[in-house]
Amino acid sequence: MTLLLQIMVLLTSIMLVLLVLLHRAKGGGLSSLFGGGVQSNLAGSSVAEKNLDRMTLFVIALWVISIIGTGLLIKMSA
């Protein structure tokens, strides 16, 4: 069971990195210091972006649950 949760942590971590990289920058932060904040936001928020946000939140929830589950199993087995 612990191995399954550790594999789930690994897979969700990789998915989170990819999902965060898919998000469009919304201004501010360090990217605007180096000229990254020049884009205008004409389109607003599309359905694809909202679905990407939902998918990211779902993967975050899975990641947190698997981290807590792994920690509890390791604590109980020791």
Side-chain angles (χ1 to χ4, degrees):
M1 185 69 170
T2 306
L3 180 64
L4 177 69
L5 285 173
Q6 289 174 347
I7 292 171
M8 190 171 162
V9 169
L10 180 68
L11 291 177
T12 54
S13 298
I14 292 169
M15 287 175 58
L16 274 177
V17 169
L18 294 175
L19 287 171
V20 167
L21 288 175
L22 284 174
H23 281 279
R24 185 170 49 174
K26 296 195 171 133
L30 289 176
S31 64
S32 64
L33 291 175
F34 302 107
V38 183
Q39 300 173 352
S40 65
N41 197 0
L42 297 175
S45 182
S46 68
V47 175
E49 290 176 26
K50 288 180 184 178
N51 287 336
L52 184 62
D53 289 341
R54 290 180 186 134
M55 194 179 332
T56 304
L57 290 175
F58 178 73
V59 173
I60 287 171
L62 286 178
W63 184 77
V64 168
I65 290 169
S66 60
I67 289 284
I68 292 172
T70 303
L72 288 174
L73 281 176
I74 289 173
K75 185 177 179 181
M76 287 182 174
S77 68

Short mmCIF file of all heavy atoms in Angstrom, two decimals:
data_model
loop_
_atom_site.label_atom_id
_atom_site.label_comp_id
_atom_site.label_asym_id
_atom_site.label_seq_id
_atom_site.Cartn_x
_atom_site.Cartn_y
_atom_site.Cartn_z
N MET A 1 0.82 -1.19 0.00
CA MET A 1 0.00 0.00 0.00
C MET A 1 0.87 1.26 0.00
O MET A 1 0.55 2.23 -0.66
CB MET A 1 -0.92 -0.04 1.23
CG MET A 1 -1.90 1.08 1.26
SD MET A 1 -3.12 0.88 -0.03
CE MET A 1 -4.27 2.10 0.42
N THR A 2 1.96 1.21 0.79
CA THR A 2 2.84 2.37 0.84
C THR A 2 3.48 2.61 -0.52
O THR A 2 3.61 3.76 -0.96
CB THR A 2 3.94 2.16 1.90
OG1 THR A 2 3.31 1.85 3.14
CG2 THR A 2 4.78 3.41 2.09
N LEU A 3 3.86 1.53 -1.21
CA LEU A 3 4.46 1.67 -2.54
C LEU A 3 3.48 2.29 -3.52
O LEU A 3 3.85 3.17 -4.31
CB LEU A 3 4.94 0.30 -3.04
CG LEU A 3 5.58 0.30 -4.43
CD1 LEU A 3 6.85 1.12 -4.42
CD2 LEU A 3 5.85 -1.11 -4.88
N LEU A 4 2.22 1.89 -3.44
CA LEU A 4 1.19 2.45 -4.31
C LEU A 4 1.03 3.96 -4.08
O LEU A 4 0.96 4.74 -5.03
CB LEU A 4 -0.14 1.74 -4.09
CG LEU A 4 -1.32 2.27 -4.89
CD1 LEU A 4 -1.15 1.95 -6.36
CD2 LEU A 4 -2.61 1.69 -4.36
N LEU A 5 1.01 4.37 -2.83
CA LEU A 5 0.88 5.79 -2.51
C LEU A 5 2.13 6.57 -2.93
O LEU A 5 2.02 7.71 -3.40
CB LEU A 5 0.60 5.99 -1.03
CG LEU A 5 -0.82 5.66 -0.58
CD1 LEU A 5 -0.94 5.73 0.93
CD2 LEU A 5 -1.82 6.58 -1.24
N GLN A 6 3.30 5.97 -2.81
CA GLN A 6 4.52 6.65 -3.24
C GLN A 6 4.55 6.83 -4.76
O GLN A 6 4.98 7.87 -5.26
CB GLN A 6 5.75 5.88 -2.77
CG GLN A 6 5.96 5.97 -1.29
CD GLN A 6 7.09 5.09 -0.81
OE1 GLN A 6 7.59 4.23 -1.54
NE2 GLN A 6 7.50 5.28 0.45
N ILE A 7 4.07 5.83 -5.48
CA ILE A 7 3.97 5.96 -6.94
C ILE A 7 2.95 7.04 -7.30
O ILE A 7 3.17 7.84 -8.23
CB ILE A 7 3.61 4.60 -7.58
CG1 ILE A 7 4.77 3.63 -7.42
CG2 ILE A 7 3.22 4.76 -9.03
CD1 ILE A 7 4.46 2.21 -7.81
N MET A 8 1.86 7.10 -6.54
CA MET A 8 0.84 8.14 -6.77
C MET A 8 1.41 9.54 -6.51
O MET A 8 1.12 10.47 -7.25
CB MET A 8 -0.37 7.87 -5.89
CG MET A 8 -1.56 8.72 -6.20
SD MET A 8 -2.97 8.11 -5.27
CE MET A 8 -4.04 9.51 -5.37
N VAL A 9 2.23 9.67 -5.48
CA VAL A 9 2.88 10.96 -5.20
C VAL A 9 3.78 11.35 -6.37
O VAL A 9 3.76 12.51 -6.82
CB VAL A 9 3.69 10.90 -3.88
CG1 VAL A 9 4.57 12.12 -3.73
CG2 VAL A 9 2.77 10.78 -2.70
N LEU A 10 4.53 10.41 -6.88
CA LEU A 10 5.43 10.69 -8.00
C LEU A 10 4.66 11.11 -9.24
O LEU A 10 4.99 12.12 -9.88
CB LEU A 10 6.30 9.46 -8.29
CG LEU A 10 7.29 9.61 -9.44
CD1 LEU A 10 8.38 10.59 -9.06
CD2 LEU A 10 7.86 8.27 -9.80
N LEU A 11 3.62 10.36 -9.58
CA LEU A 11 2.84 10.67 -10.78
C LEU A 11 2.10 12.01 -10.67
O LEU A 11 2.09 12.80 -11.61
CB LEU A 11 1.85 9.55 -11.08
CG LEU A 11 2.46 8.22 -11.53
CD1 LEU A 11 1.37 7.18 -11.71
CD2 LEU A 11 3.25 8.40 -12.81
N THR A 12 1.50 12.26 -9.50
CA THR A 12 0.79 13.53 -9.34
C THR A 12 1.76 14.71 -9.31
O THR A 12 1.41 15.80 -9.76
CB THR A 12 -0.09 13.51 -8.08
OG1 THR A 12 0.70 13.17 -6.95
CG2 THR A 12 -1.26 12.57 -8.24
N SER A 13 2.95 14.51 -8.80
CA SER A 13 3.95 15.58 -8.81
C SER A 13 4.33 15.96 -10.23
O SER A 13 4.41 17.14 -10.57
CB SER A 13 5.20 15.16 -8.04
OG SER A 13 4.90 14.90 -6.70
N ILE A 14 4.55 14.96 -11.06
CA ILE A 14 4.89 15.21 -12.46
C ILE A 14 3.72 15.89 -13.18
O ILE A 14 3.91 16.86 -13.94
CB ILE A 14 5.29 13.90 -13.17
CG1 ILE A 14 6.61 13.39 -12.59
CG2 ILE A 14 5.40 14.09 -14.67
CD1 ILE A 14 6.97 11.99 -13.01
N MET A 15 2.50 15.42 -12.91
CA MET A 15 1.32 16.03 -13.52
C MET A 15 1.15 17.49 -13.09
O MET A 15 0.79 18.35 -13.89
CB MET A 15 0.08 15.23 -13.18
CG MET A 15 -0.02 13.92 -13.92
SD MET A 15 -1.43 12.90 -13.41
CE MET A 15 -2.80 13.97 -13.72
N LEU A 16 1.43 17.78 -11.81
CA LEU A 16 1.31 19.15 -11.32
C LEU A 16 2.30 20.08 -12.00
O LEU A 16 1.95 21.20 -12.37
CB LEU A 16 1.52 19.20 -9.81
CG LEU A 16 0.30 18.94 -8.96
CD1 LEU A 16 0.67 18.95 -7.49
CD2 LEU A 16 -0.78 19.94 -9.25
N VAL A 17 3.52 19.61 -12.19
CA VAL A 17 4.52 20.43 -12.88
C VAL A 17 4.04 20.74 -14.29
O VAL A 17 4.09 21.89 -14.75
CB VAL A 17 5.89 19.72 -12.90
CG1 VAL A 17 6.86 20.41 -13.84
CG2 VAL A 17 6.47 19.66 -11.50
N LEU A 18 3.55 19.74 -14.99
CA LEU A 18 3.08 19.95 -16.36
C LEU A 18 1.85 20.86 -16.41
O LEU A 18 1.76 21.75 -17.27
CB LEU A 18 2.76 18.60 -17.01
CG LEU A 18 3.96 17.68 -17.23
CD1 LEU A 18 3.50 16.34 -17.77
CD2 LEU A 18 4.96 18.32 -18.17
N LEU A 19 0.92 20.68 -15.49
CA LEU A 19 -0.28 21.52 -15.48
C LEU A 19 0.05 22.97 -15.15
O LEU A 19 -0.52 23.89 -15.76
CB LEU A 19 -1.30 20.98 -14.48
CG LEU A 19 -2.02 19.71 -14.91
CD1 LEU A 19 -2.84 19.14 -13.76
CD2 LEU A 19 -2.91 19.97 -16.11
N VAL A 20 0.96 23.20 -14.23
CA VAL A 20 1.34 24.57 -13.88
C VAL A 20 2.05 25.23 -15.06
O VAL A 20 1.83 26.41 -15.35
CB VAL A 20 2.21 24.59 -12.61
CG1 VAL A 20 2.86 25.94 -12.40
CG2 VAL A 20 1.37 24.22 -11.40
N LEU A 21 2.85 24.47 -15.78
CA LEU A 21 3.53 25.03 -16.95
C LEU A 21 2.56 25.35 -18.08
O LEU A 21 2.84 26.22 -18.91
CB LEU A 21 4.62 24.08 -17.45
CG LEU A 21 5.85 23.98 -16.55
CD1 LEU A 21 6.79 22.91 -17.09
CD2 LEU A 21 6.55 25.32 -16.45
N LEU A 22 1.41 24.68 -18.13
CA LEU A 22 0.42 24.96 -19.16
C LEU A 22 -0.36 26.25 -18.91
O LEU A 22 -0.92 26.82 -19.84
CB LEU A 22 -0.57 23.79 -19.26
CG LEU A 22 -0.07 22.56 -19.97
CD1 LEU A 22 -1.10 21.44 -19.87
CD2 LEU A 22 0.24 22.85 -21.41
N HIS A 23 -0.39 26.71 -17.67
CA HIS A 23 -1.14 27.92 -17.35
C HIS A 23 -0.49 29.13 -18.01
O HIS A 23 0.72 29.23 -18.13
CB HIS A 23 -1.18 28.14 -15.83
CG HIS A 23 -2.19 27.30 -15.15
ND1 HIS A 23 -3.52 27.62 -15.10
CD2 HIS A 23 -2.07 26.14 -14.48
CE1 HIS A 23 -4.17 26.68 -14.44
NE2 HIS A 23 -3.32 25.77 -14.05
N ARG A 24 -1.35 30.08 -18.38
CA ARG A 24 -0.88 31.32 -18.97
C ARG A 24 -0.52 32.28 -17.84
O ARG A 24 -1.25 32.38 -16.85
CB ARG A 24 -1.96 31.93 -19.85
CG ARG A 24 -1.50 33.16 -20.59
CD ARG A 24 -2.47 33.59 -21.62
NE ARG A 24 -3.83 33.66 -21.06
CZ ARG A 24 -4.85 34.14 -21.74
NH1 ARG A 24 -4.69 34.55 -22.96
NH2 ARG A 24 -6.05 34.18 -21.19
N ALA A 25 0.57 33.01 -18.03
CA ALA A 25 0.98 33.99 -17.02
C ALA A 25 -0.06 35.10 -16.94
O ALA A 25 -0.56 35.57 -17.95
CB ALA A 25 2.34 34.56 -17.39
N LYS A 26 -0.38 35.52 -15.73
CA LYS A 26 -1.41 36.54 -15.55
C LYS A 26 -0.83 37.85 -15.05
O LYS A 26 -1.48 38.62 -14.38
CB LYS A 26 -2.47 36.02 -14.59
CG LYS A 26 -3.19 34.83 -15.18
CD LYS A 26 -4.46 34.50 -14.47
CE LYS A 26 -5.18 33.45 -15.27
NZ LYS A 26 -5.67 32.36 -14.51
N GLY A 27 0.44 38.11 -15.35
CA GLY A 27 1.06 39.37 -14.99
C GLY A 27 1.61 39.37 -13.59
O GLY A 27 1.32 38.51 -12.77
N GLY A 28 2.45 40.35 -13.31
CA GLY A 28 3.06 40.47 -11.99
C GLY A 28 4.15 39.45 -11.81
O GLY A 28 4.52 38.70 -12.71
N GLY A 29 4.71 39.41 -10.65
CA GLY A 29 5.74 38.43 -10.33
C GLY A 29 7.07 38.75 -10.98
O GLY A 29 7.31 39.86 -11.48
N LEU A 30 7.95 37.80 -10.97
CA LEU A 30 9.29 38.01 -11.50
C LEU A 30 9.33 38.14 -13.01
O LEU A 30 10.22 38.78 -13.55
CB LEU A 30 10.20 36.86 -11.07
CG LEU A 30 10.58 36.81 -9.59
CD1 LEU A 30 11.40 35.57 -9.31
CD2 LEU A 30 11.36 38.04 -9.22
N SER A 31 8.37 37.54 -13.71
CA SER A 31 8.41 37.60 -15.17
C SER A 31 8.23 39.02 -15.68
O SER A 31 8.76 39.38 -16.73
CB SER A 31 7.35 36.69 -15.78
OG SER A 31 6.07 37.15 -15.42
N SER A 32 7.50 39.87 -14.96
CA SER A 32 7.31 41.24 -15.42
C SER A 32 8.56 42.08 -15.25
O SER A 32 8.74 43.09 -15.92
CB SER A 32 6.14 41.88 -14.68
OG SER A 32 6.43 41.97 -13.31
N LEU A 33 9.47 41.67 -14.37
CA LEU A 33 10.72 42.40 -14.19
C LEU A 33 11.62 42.29 -15.41
O LEU A 33 12.40 43.19 -15.70
CB LEU A 33 11.48 41.88 -12.96
CG LEU A 33 10.87 42.17 -11.60
CD1 LEU A 33 11.69 41.47 -10.52
CD2 LEU A 33 10.84 43.67 -11.35
N PHE A 34 11.51 41.19 -16.14
CA PHE A 34 12.37 40.95 -17.27
C PHE A 34 11.66 41.13 -18.61
O PHE A 34 12.07 40.58 -19.61
CB PHE A 34 12.97 39.54 -17.18
CG PHE A 34 13.74 39.31 -15.92
CD1 PHE A 34 13.24 38.52 -14.91
CD2 PHE A 34 14.96 39.93 -15.73
CE1 PHE A 34 13.93 38.33 -13.74
CE2 PHE A 34 15.67 39.74 -14.56
CZ PHE A 34 15.17 38.94 -13.57
N GLY A 35 10.58 41.86 -18.63
CA GLY A 35 9.87 42.14 -19.88
C GLY A 35 8.78 41.16 -20.21
O GLY A 35 8.24 41.20 -21.31
N GLY A 36 8.43 40.28 -19.31
CA GLY A 36 7.40 39.30 -19.58
C GLY A 36 5.99 39.84 -19.41
O GLY A 36 5.02 39.21 -19.81
N GLY A 37 5.83 41.01 -18.84
CA GLY A 37 4.51 41.55 -18.57
C GLY A 37 4.00 42.48 -19.64
O GLY A 37 3.13 43.30 -19.39
N VAL A 38 4.51 42.38 -20.87
CA VAL A 38 4.15 43.29 -21.95
C VAL A 38 2.86 42.87 -22.64
O VAL A 38 2.20 43.67 -23.26
CB VAL A 38 5.31 43.36 -22.98
CG1 VAL A 38 5.01 44.35 -24.08
CG2 VAL A 38 6.60 43.72 -22.28
N GLN A 39 2.46 41.62 -22.49
CA GLN A 39 1.28 41.12 -23.19
C GLN A 39 0.01 41.76 -22.66
O GLN A 39 -0.11 42.06 -21.49
CB GLN A 39 1.15 39.60 -22.99
CG GLN A 39 2.32 38.82 -23.51
CD GLN A 39 2.20 37.36 -23.14
OE1 GLN A 39 1.32 36.99 -22.37
NE2 GLN A 39 3.05 36.54 -23.69
N SER A 40 -0.94 41.97 -23.56
CA SER A 40 -2.25 42.46 -23.12
C SER A 40 -3.19 41.28 -22.98
O SER A 40 -3.13 40.32 -23.74
CB SER A 40 -2.82 43.47 -24.12
OG SER A 40 -3.07 42.82 -25.35
N ASN A 41 -4.09 41.37 -22.06
CA ASN A 41 -5.01 40.28 -21.78
C ASN A 41 -6.36 40.62 -22.42
O ASN A 41 -7.27 41.09 -21.76
CB ASN A 41 -5.13 40.08 -20.27
CG ASN A 41 -5.72 38.75 -19.93
OD1 ASN A 41 -6.05 37.97 -20.81
ND2 ASN A 41 -5.87 38.50 -18.65
N LEU A 42 -6.51 40.35 -23.72
CA LEU A 42 -7.73 40.70 -24.44
C LEU A 42 -8.80 39.63 -24.35
O LEU A 42 -9.98 39.92 -24.32
CB LEU A 42 -7.40 40.96 -25.92
CG LEU A 42 -6.46 42.13 -26.20
CD1 LEU A 42 -6.14 42.17 -27.69
CD2 LEU A 42 -7.07 43.43 -25.76
N ALA A 43 -8.38 38.38 -24.30
CA ALA A 43 -9.33 37.28 -24.40
C ALA A 43 -10.07 37.02 -23.10
O ALA A 43 -11.17 36.51 -23.11
CB ALA A 43 -8.60 36.01 -24.84
N GLY A 44 -9.49 37.39 -21.98
CA GLY A 44 -10.13 37.09 -20.70
C GLY A 44 -9.93 35.64 -20.33
O GLY A 44 -8.93 35.03 -20.67
N SER A 45 -10.87 35.08 -19.63
CA SER A 45 -10.77 33.70 -19.16
C SER A 45 -11.65 32.80 -20.03
O SER A 45 -12.86 32.98 -20.10
CB SER A 45 -11.22 33.65 -17.70
OG SER A 45 -11.07 32.34 -17.23
N SER A 46 -11.04 31.86 -20.69
CA SER A 46 -11.79 30.97 -21.58
C SER A 46 -12.20 29.70 -20.85
O SER A 46 -11.79 29.44 -19.72
CB SER A 46 -10.94 30.63 -22.81
OG SER A 46 -9.86 29.82 -22.42
N VAL A 47 -13.00 28.90 -21.52
CA VAL A 47 -13.46 27.63 -20.94
C VAL A 47 -12.29 26.68 -20.75
O VAL A 47 -12.22 25.96 -19.74
CB VAL A 47 -14.53 27.00 -21.87
CG1 VAL A 47 -14.94 25.63 -21.38
CG2 VAL A 47 -15.73 27.92 -21.97
N ALA A 48 -11.35 26.70 -21.67
CA ALA A 48 -10.18 25.82 -21.56
C ALA A 48 -9.36 26.16 -20.32
O ALA A 48 -8.86 25.27 -19.63
CB ALA A 48 -9.32 25.93 -22.81
N GLU A 49 -9.21 27.46 -20.04
CA GLU A 49 -8.46 27.86 -18.85
C GLU A 49 -9.18 27.45 -17.57
O GLU A 49 -8.55 27.03 -16.61
CB GLU A 49 -8.24 29.37 -18.86
CG GLU A 49 -7.27 29.83 -19.92
CD GLU A 49 -7.17 31.35 -19.95
OE1 GLU A 49 -7.42 31.98 -18.92
OE2 GLU A 49 -6.85 31.87 -21.01
N LYS A 50 -10.50 27.58 -17.56
CA LYS A 50 -11.27 27.17 -16.38
C LYS A 50 -11.16 25.68 -16.15
O LYS A 50 -11.02 25.22 -15.02
CB LYS A 50 -12.73 27.58 -16.54
CG LYS A 50 -12.94 29.07 -16.42
CD LYS A 50 -14.40 29.44 -16.58
CE LYS A 50 -14.58 30.95 -16.55
NZ LYS A 50 -15.97 31.34 -16.75
N ASN A 51 -11.21 24.90 -17.23
CA ASN A 51 -11.06 23.45 -17.10
C ASN A 51 -9.66 23.08 -16.64
O ASN A 51 -9.49 22.14 -15.86
CB ASN A 51 -11.39 22.76 -18.42
CG ASN A 51 -12.88 22.78 -18.71
OD1 ASN A 51 -13.69 22.89 -17.81
ND2 ASN A 51 -13.22 22.68 -19.98
N LEU A 52 -8.66 23.82 -17.13
CA LEU A 52 -7.29 23.59 -16.70
C LEU A 52 -7.14 23.90 -15.21
O LEU A 52 -6.46 23.17 -14.48
CB LEU A 52 -6.32 24.44 -17.54
CG LEU A 52 -4.84 24.25 -17.29
CD1 LEU A 52 -4.43 22.81 -17.60
CD2 LEU A 52 -4.05 25.22 -18.13
N ASP A 53 -7.79 24.96 -14.75
CA ASP A 53 -7.77 25.30 -13.32
C ASP A 53 -8.41 24.19 -12.50
O ASP A 53 -7.88 23.79 -11.45
CB ASP A 53 -8.50 26.61 -13.07
CG ASP A 53 -7.76 27.82 -13.59
OD1 ASP A 53 -6.53 27.71 -13.81
OD2 ASP A 53 -8.40 28.86 -13.77
N ARG A 54 -9.55 23.69 -12.96
CA ARG A 54 -10.24 22.61 -12.23
C ARG A 54 -9.40 21.35 -12.18
O ARG A 54 -9.32 20.68 -11.15
CB ARG A 54 -11.58 22.31 -12.88
CG ARG A 54 -12.60 23.40 -12.69
CD ARG A 54 -13.90 23.06 -13.35
NE ARG A 54 -14.81 24.19 -13.26
CZ ARG A 54 -15.53 24.65 -14.26
NH1 ARG A 54 -15.47 24.07 -15.44
NH2 ARG A 54 -16.32 25.68 -14.09
N MET A 55 -8.77 21.01 -13.30
CA MET A 55 -7.93 19.82 -13.35
C MET A 55 -6.72 19.97 -12.42
O MET A 55 -6.34 19.02 -11.72
CB MET A 55 -7.45 19.56 -14.78
CG MET A 55 -6.88 18.19 -14.99
SD MET A 55 -6.31 17.81 -16.66
CE MET A 55 -7.30 18.80 -17.72
N THR A 56 -6.15 21.17 -12.39
CA THR A 56 -5.02 21.42 -11.51
C THR A 56 -5.42 21.27 -10.04
O THR A 56 -4.70 20.65 -9.25
CB THR A 56 -4.45 22.82 -11.76
OG1 THR A 56 -4.11 22.96 -13.15
CG2 THR A 56 -3.21 23.07 -10.92
N LEU A 57 -6.57 21.82 -9.67
CA LEU A 57 -7.04 21.69 -8.29
C LEU A 57 -7.33 20.24 -7.92
O LEU A 57 -7.06 19.81 -6.80
CB LEU A 57 -8.28 22.56 -8.07
CG LEU A 57 -8.03 24.06 -8.08
CD1 LEU A 57 -9.35 24.82 -7.98
CD2 LEU A 57 -7.11 24.45 -6.94
N PHE A 58 -7.88 19.47 -8.86
CA PHE A 58 -8.14 18.05 -8.61
C PHE A 58 -6.84 17.29 -8.38
O PHE A 58 -6.75 16.48 -7.45
CB PHE A 58 -8.92 17.46 -9.80
CG PHE A 58 -9.20 16.00 -9.65
CD1 PHE A 58 -10.15 15.55 -8.76
CD2 PHE A 58 -8.51 15.08 -10.42
CE1 PHE A 58 -10.41 14.18 -8.62
CE2 PHE A 58 -8.76 13.72 -10.29
CZ PHE A 58 -9.71 13.27 -9.39
N VAL A 59 -5.83 17.56 -9.20
CA VAL A 59 -4.54 16.87 -9.05
C VAL A 59 -3.87 17.30 -7.75
O VAL A 59 -3.23 16.49 -7.07
CB VAL A 59 -3.64 17.12 -10.28
CG1 VAL A 59 -2.25 16.55 -10.07
CG2 VAL A 59 -4.26 16.50 -11.52
N ILE A 60 -4.02 18.58 -7.37
CA ILE A 60 -3.47 19.03 -6.09
C ILE A 60 -4.13 18.27 -4.94
O ILE A 60 -3.44 17.85 -4.00
CB ILE A 60 -3.66 20.56 -5.93
CG1 ILE A 60 -2.71 21.31 -6.84
CG2 ILE A 60 -3.44 20.98 -4.48
CD1 ILE A 60 -2.96 22.79 -6.90
N ALA A 61 -5.44 18.08 -5.01
CA ALA A 61 -6.14 17.35 -3.95
C ALA A 61 -5.64 15.91 -3.87
O ALA A 61 -5.40 15.39 -2.77
CB ALA A 61 -7.65 17.39 -4.20
N LEU A 62 -5.47 15.26 -5.03
CA LEU A 62 -4.93 13.89 -5.03
C LEU A 62 -3.53 13.85 -4.45
O LEU A 62 -3.17 12.93 -3.71
CB LEU A 62 -4.92 13.34 -6.46
CG LEU A 62 -6.24 12.93 -7.07
CD1 LEU A 62 -6.03 12.46 -8.50
CD2 LEU A 62 -6.89 11.84 -6.25
N TRP A 63 -2.72 14.85 -4.79
CA TRP A 63 -1.34 14.92 -4.30
C TRP A 63 -1.31 15.06 -2.78
O TRP A 63 -0.57 14.35 -2.11
CB TRP A 63 -0.63 16.10 -4.98
CG TRP A 63 0.80 16.23 -4.65
CD1 TRP A 63 1.84 15.49 -5.12
CD2 TRP A 63 1.38 17.17 -3.74
NE1 TRP A 63 3.02 15.93 -4.58
CE2 TRP A 63 2.76 16.96 -3.72
CE3 TRP A 63 0.84 18.19 -2.96
CZ2 TRP A 63 3.62 17.72 -2.94
CZ3 TRP A 63 1.70 18.95 -2.18
CH2 TRP A 63 3.07 18.71 -2.18
N VAL A 64 -2.14 15.95 -2.25
CA VAL A 64 -2.18 16.16 -0.80
C VAL A 64 -2.67 14.90 -0.08
O VAL A 64 -2.09 14.49 0.93
CB VAL A 64 -3.07 17.38 -0.45
CG1 VAL A 64 -3.37 17.44 1.03
CG2 VAL A 64 -2.42 18.67 -0.92
N ILE A 65 -3.70 14.27 -0.61
CA ILE A 65 -4.22 13.05 0.00
C ILE A 65 -3.17 11.94 -0.01
O ILE A 65 -2.98 11.23 0.99
CB ILE A 65 -5.51 12.60 -0.71
CG1 ILE A 65 -6.64 13.58 -0.40
CG2 ILE A 65 -5.90 11.18 -0.32
CD1 ILE A 65 -7.87 13.40 -1.25
N SER A 66 -2.45 11.80 -1.11
CA SER A 66 -1.43 10.75 -1.18
C SER A 66 -0.25 11.05 -0.27
O SER A 66 0.33 10.14 0.32
CB SER A 66 -0.98 10.53 -2.63
OG SER A 66 -0.42 11.70 -3.16
N ILE A 67 0.12 12.33 -0.12
CA ILE A 67 1.21 12.70 0.80
C ILE A 67 0.81 12.37 2.25
O ILE A 67 1.59 11.78 3.00
CB ILE A 67 1.53 14.21 0.67
CG1 ILE A 67 2.22 14.51 -0.64
CG2 ILE A 67 2.39 14.70 1.84
CD1 ILE A 67 3.66 14.11 -0.73
N ILE A 68 -0.41 12.76 2.63
CA ILE A 68 -0.87 12.51 4.00
C ILE A 68 -1.00 11.00 4.24
O ILE A 68 -0.60 10.49 5.29
CB ILE A 68 -2.21 13.24 4.26
CG1 ILE A 68 -1.96 14.75 4.28
CG2 ILE A 68 -2.84 12.77 5.56
CD1 ILE A 68 -3.22 15.58 4.33
N GLY A 69 -1.54 10.27 3.27
CA GLY A 69 -1.67 8.82 3.41
C GLY A 69 -0.33 8.12 3.54
O GLY A 69 -0.16 7.22 4.37
N THR A 70 0.65 8.55 2.75
CA THR A 70 1.98 7.97 2.84
C THR A 70 2.60 8.24 4.21
O THR A 70 3.18 7.35 4.83
CB THR A 70 2.90 8.53 1.73
OG1 THR A 70 2.30 8.27 0.47
CG2 THR A 70 4.27 7.89 1.77
N GLY A 71 2.44 9.47 4.68
CA GLY A 71 2.99 9.82 5.99
C GLY A 71 2.35 9.02 7.11
O GLY A 71 3.04 8.55 8.02
N LEU A 72 1.03 8.85 7.04
CA LEU A 72 0.36 8.07 8.08
C LEU A 72 0.77 6.60 8.05
O LEU A 72 0.95 5.99 9.10
CB LEU A 72 -1.15 8.21 7.92
CG LEU A 72 -1.75 9.56 8.29
CD1 LEU A 72 -3.24 9.59 7.95
CD2 LEU A 72 -1.55 9.84 9.76
N LEU A 73 0.88 6.03 6.85
CA LEU A 73 1.29 4.62 6.76
C LEU A 73 2.71 4.42 7.25
O LEU A 73 3.00 3.42 7.92
CB LEU A 73 1.15 4.13 5.32
CG LEU A 73 -0.27 3.78 4.89
CD1 LEU A 73 -0.28 3.38 3.41
CD2 LEU A 73 -0.81 2.64 5.72
N ILE A 74 3.59 5.34 6.94
CA ILE A 74 4.98 5.22 7.40
C ILE A 74 5.03 5.36 8.93
O ILE A 74 5.76 4.64 9.60
CB ILE A 74 5.87 6.26 6.70
CG1 ILE A 74 6.05 5.86 5.23
CG2 ILE A 74 7.23 6.38 7.38
CD1 ILE A 74 6.78 6.89 4.39
N LYS A 75 4.25 6.28 9.46
CA LYS A 75 4.24 6.49 10.91
C LYS A 75 3.68 5.28 11.65
O LYS A 75 4.19 4.89 12.71
CB LYS A 75 3.42 7.74 11.25
CG LYS A 75 3.45 8.11 12.69
CD LYS A 75 2.68 9.38 12.96
CE LYS A 75 2.71 9.72 14.44
NZ LYS A 75 1.95 10.94 14.73
N MET A 76 2.63 4.65 11.11
CA MET A 76 2.01 3.50 11.76
C MET A 76 2.88 2.25 11.66
O MET A 76 2.83 1.39 12.54
CB MET A 76 0.65 3.23 11.16
CG MET A 76 -0.39 4.22 11.54
SD MET A 76 -1.96 3.74 10.82
CE MET A 76 -3.03 4.94 11.56
N SER A 77 3.66 2.13 10.60
CA SER A 77 4.47 0.92 10.44
C SER A 77 5.76 0.98 11.26
O SER A 77 6.36 -0.05 11.53
CB SER A 77 4.83 0.72 8.98
OG SER A 77 5.70 1.73 8.52
N ALA A 78 6.15 2.16 11.71
CA ALA A 78 7.40 2.28 12.47
C ALA A 78 7.19 2.02 13.94
O ALA A 78 6.22 1.89 14.52
CB ALA A 78 7.99 3.66 12.30
#
